[in-house]
Amino acid sequence: MADMDTALKEIMQIDGAIGAALADYTSGMALGTIGGTKELDLSVAAAGNTDVVRAKLRAMEMLGIKETIEDILITLDTQYHMIRPLTGRAGKGLFLYVALLKSRANLAMARHHLRTIEEKLDV
């Protein structure tokens, strides 16, 4: 099992990663961050993406969708932003967030690595 800091460091090993966070979508707080740029404040990004997760969960509830979100992908001109809600009991209400450079990232591999990191994460 990996702790939060180890998991965040592993996320930064994904090709194209420029920043990552573990956040609580019930409070909007980042529990841990790594990387980032002057344009990408990870605490602000994590807090803002809590609204994305909450909105999707509300929409699923209104539609009667009982499935679990694997990940949410936001595609920008030069970046991918991936949100992966944690599915384990201990991770309830938490999500992993990673920003990737489109020019360097392989989206399928990034999703695979993020899934593997989540499976090993112990919060």
Side-chain angles (χ1 to χ4, degrees):
M1 290 289 171
D3 65 8
M4 177 186 63
D5 292 330
T6 302
L8 291 174
K9 287 176 185 171
E10 286 181 27
I11 292 171
M12 289 303 291
Q13 298 305 307
I14 297 172
D15 285 342
I18 54 176
L22 176 65
D24 179 341
Y25 65 78
T26 57
S27 70
M29 295 191 56
L31 306 177
T33 63
I34 190 169
T37 66
K38 66 180 181 173
E39 295 86 19
L40 180 63
D41 181 324
L42 289 163
S43 293
V44 172
N49 280 303
T50 62
D51 291 333
V52 173
V53 175
R54 288 183 201 151
K56 186 59 190 171
L57 290 170
R58 272 193 312 274
M60 288 173 61
E61 184 179 343
M62 288 188 295
L63 293 168
I65 297 172
K66 303 276 189 235
E67 297 184 43
T68 303
I69 298 172
E70 283 188 31
D71 53 49
I72 298 169
L73 174 65
I74 300 165
T75 305
L76 306 177
D77 292 338
T78 61
Q79 298 174 5
Y80 295 122
H81 290 221
M82 288 179 37
I83 300 166
R84 184 167 183 89
L86 302 187
T87 55
R89 242 179 1 143
K92 193 81 171 149
L94 303 179
F95 67 90
L96 290 171
Y97 165 77
V98 60
L100 305 154
L101 291 174
K102 276 174 81 171
S103 61
R104 293 198 35 226
N106 176 321
L107 193 52
M109 288 303 294
R111 289 184 72 225
H112 171 73
H113 287 303
L114 202 57
R115 182 181 319 111
T116 302
I117 291 165
E118 182 217 345
E119 289 170 357
K120 296 187 299 184
L121 180 60
D122 184 27
V123 256

